[in-house]
């Protein structure tokens, strides 16, 4: 192959992308590479959203020749830090920037534009041999608080101590559970960080006593774009019926019941949409890229119709594209 400047730059970009993917899921993540090219956007993304945003990148790059997005999948705090120090010009996190962060970016001449792009569900998964099928919010709180230590504390069970597993200590999933159930208090002693979402899944799959806390996109069987080429994924977006989602058969997804309700629900899109499934959180995309840059174009893509349709295929609820709900009798 003839070496040209285009080939050399392409190889360098692939090398940087490989480095970013290698760092994804690690506790501290890798050092984010600052890009000076307007054609390359650098995205710092909460690692729990990797399944979703990687599909967005693949289809964006296929449909927008000349622009590339370099992703780093790290913990939420590191995402915000990367945005603040200018190493990243796009961030995907589970909260909007606060007033102090927004003011600091504006002072630097990098006014942020923030949009809620989706509503994600936090799923509770257990081993297939676990006899439990549902859990109440108060029972979950007592587990995370350390009050309930064995499965027998909840119901008659042949299993032993409950081993709660998250992705990592600084993840947005941990923060969500602490804020939602523990009023910001630290989690109990029997809670373990596995280092990544795939590791949480594998731990639950192979450990009868495990209770996994994980983003719903990591267990969705409808991740229809995952095994397709970018061209196939882009064409598949024109298919109207893309919301038929199930969960992996390798684990069991618990139904969750509010304490004041008789009914429990799994994290399907319809139950996220109407609020019946209680463990849900927003996904936000923050952009500081200027008009005509890859970062800005990617932001417009994700918040637009096609990008929202991509989110629809992952089991997460997009902000502007409503899933088609089919009731079967």
């Amino acid at each position: 192959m003839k070496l040209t400047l285009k080939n050399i730059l392409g190889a360098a970009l692939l090398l940087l992308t490989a480095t970013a993917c290698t760092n994804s899921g690690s506790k501290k993540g890798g050092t984010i590479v600052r890009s000076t090219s307007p054609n390359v956007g650098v995205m710092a993304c909460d690692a729990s959203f990797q399944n979703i945003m990687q599909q967005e990148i693949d289809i964006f790059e296929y449909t927008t020749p000349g622009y590339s997005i370099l992703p780093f999948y790290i913990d939420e705090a590191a995402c915000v830090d990367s945005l603040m120090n200018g190493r990243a010009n796009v961030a995907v996190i589970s909260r909007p920037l606060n007033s102090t962060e927004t003011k600091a970016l504006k002072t630097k001449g990098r006014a942020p534009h923030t949009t809620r792009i989706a509503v994600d569900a936090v799923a509770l998964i257990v081993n297939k041999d676990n006899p439990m099928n549902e859990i109440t919010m108060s029972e979950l709180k007592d587990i995370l608080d350390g009050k309930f230590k064995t499965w027998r504390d909840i119901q008659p069970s042949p299993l032993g101590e409950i081993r709660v597993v998250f992705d990592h200590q600084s993840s947005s999933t941990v923060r969500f559970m602490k804020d939602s159930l523990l009023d910001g208090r630290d989690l109990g002693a029997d809670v373990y960080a596995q280092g990544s979402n795939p590791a949480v899944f594998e731990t639950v799959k192979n450990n009868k006593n495990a209770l996994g806390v994980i983003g719903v996109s990591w267990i969705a069987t409808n991740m229809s774009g995952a095994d397709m080429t970018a061209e196939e994924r882009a064409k598949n977006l024109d298919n109207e019926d893309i919301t038929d989602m199930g969960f992996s058969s390798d684990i069991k997804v618990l139904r969750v019941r509010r304490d004041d309700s008789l009914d429990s629900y799994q994290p399907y899109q319809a139950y996220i949409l109407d609020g019946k499934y209680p463990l849900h959180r927003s996904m936000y995309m923050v952009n500081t890229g200027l008009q005509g840059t890859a970062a800005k174009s990617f932001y417009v893509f994700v918040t637009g119709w096609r990008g929202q349709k991509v989110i629809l295929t992952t089991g997460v609820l997009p902000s502007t594209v409503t899933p088609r709900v089919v009731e079967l009798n």
Side-chain angles (χ1 to χ4, degrees):
M1 179 180 70
K2 181 180 178 181
L3 288 178
T4 65
L5 179 59
K6 180 178 180 181
N7 291 334
I8 294 172
L9 291 175
L13 180 60
L14 287 174
L15 178 60
L16 290 175
T17 304
T19 302
C21 294
T22 300
N23 288 321
S24 65
S26 63
K27 184 176 179 182
K28 296 183 179 179
T31 300
I32 291 187
V33 179
R34 190 194 305 265
S35 173
T36 58
S37 170
N39 294 335
V40 178
V42 178
M43 179 186 73
C45 177
D46 185 292
S48 62
F49 303 140
Q50 178 177 348
N51 267 352
I52 303 164
M53 296 310 298
Q54 192 57 53
Q55 289 205 48
E56 294 278 13
I57 291 171
D58 291 346
I59 297 177
F60 169 74
E61 291 182 340
Y62 172 77
T63 58
T64 316
Y67 281 155
S68 297
I69 301 299
L70 182 60
F72 289 82
Y73 299 109
I74 50 183
D75 66 70
E76 185 172 73
C79 289
V80 176
D81 287 345
S82 300
L83 189 70
M84 299 303 296
N85 64 32
R87 290 189 177 276
N89 41 28
V90 176
V92 179
I93 51 181
S94 68
R95 66 170 180 84
L97 297 181
N98 59 41
S99 57
T100 301
E101 293 162 342
T102 300
K103 182 178 179 180
L105 285 171
K106 288 182 177 179
T107 300
K108 298 175 183 178
R110 299 172 56 232
H113 296 86
T114 303
T115 299
R116 189 178 79 160
I117 59 173
V119 181
D120 180 33
V122 175
L124 304 177
I125 60 175
V126 295
N127 187 273
K128 290 194 297 184
D129 292 333
N130 190 319
M132 279 195 65
N133 292 304
E134 76 167 31
I135 191 170
T136 67
M137 291 291 282
S138 59
E139 288 168 343
L140 177 60
K141 175 181 179 296
D142 287 339
I143 291 173
L144 297 178
D145 233 349
K147 181 179 179 181
F148 286 173
K149 296 184 179 298
T150 72
W151 291 105
R152 293 185 297 276
D153 292 331
I154 305 174
Q155 66 176 39
S157 174
L159 303 181
E161 293 185 358
I162 302 172
R163 179 186 175 95
V164 182
V165 290
F166 284 84
D167 45 2
H168 47 85
Q169 294 176 342
S170 300
S171 74
S172 62
T173 307
V174 170
R175 182 179 63 82
F176 170 78
M177 300 301 277
K178 289 167 60 176
D179 292 347
S180 300
L181 292 166
L182 302 181
D183 297 322
R185 298 190 307 275
D186 288 335
L187 302 175
D190 296 322
V191 178
Y192 303 90
Q194 301 303 296
S196 69
N197 286 280
V200 171
F201 184 93
E202 288 300 315
T203 298
V204 172
K205 178 181 175 182
N206 297 306
N207 189 323
K208 293 182 180 180
N209 289 307
L211 170 64
V213 184
I214 193 169
V216 71
S217 71
W218 292 94
I219 59 171
T221 57
N222 185 49
M223 288 286 290
S224 55
D227 297 324
M228 296 181 181
T229 65
E231 180 179 7
E232 290 171 332
R233 294 185 216 182
K235 291 180 178 178
N236 192 52
L237 293 181
D238 295 327
N239 179 9
E240 181 181 350
D241 186 15
I242 60 173
T243 60
D244 180 21
M245 187 199 75
F247 301 122
S248 171
S249 60
D250 290 332
I251 46 85
K252 180 190 293 186
V253 182
L254 292 182
R255 299 194 303 270
V256 181
R257 178 166 63 86
R258 297 181 189 274
D259 295 328
D260 59 353
S261 174
L262 297 177
D263 299 315
S264 57
Y265 300 92
Q266 289 180 307
Y268 288 106
Q269 286 172 325
Y271 300 139
I272 303 171
L273 176 65
D274 62 15
K276 290 179 179 177
Y277 184 76
L279 298 174
H280 55 79
R281 58 181 179 169
S282 295
M283 280 178 61
Y284 294 90
M285 189 173 194
V286 185
N287 169 64
T288 61
L290 300 177
Q291 192 70 32
T293 64
K296 176 67 173 181
S297 296
F298 185 53
Y299 175 79
V300 171
F301 172 82
V302 174
T303 58
W305 180 85
R306 291 184 73 83
Q308 290 287 286
K309 200 84 177 284
V310 172
I311 290 175
L312 190 63
T313 69
T314 67
V316 174
L317 182 69
S319 285
T320 60
V321 178
T322 303
R324 185 169 63 91
V325 178
V326 179
E327 183 176 343
L328 299 177
N329 297 318

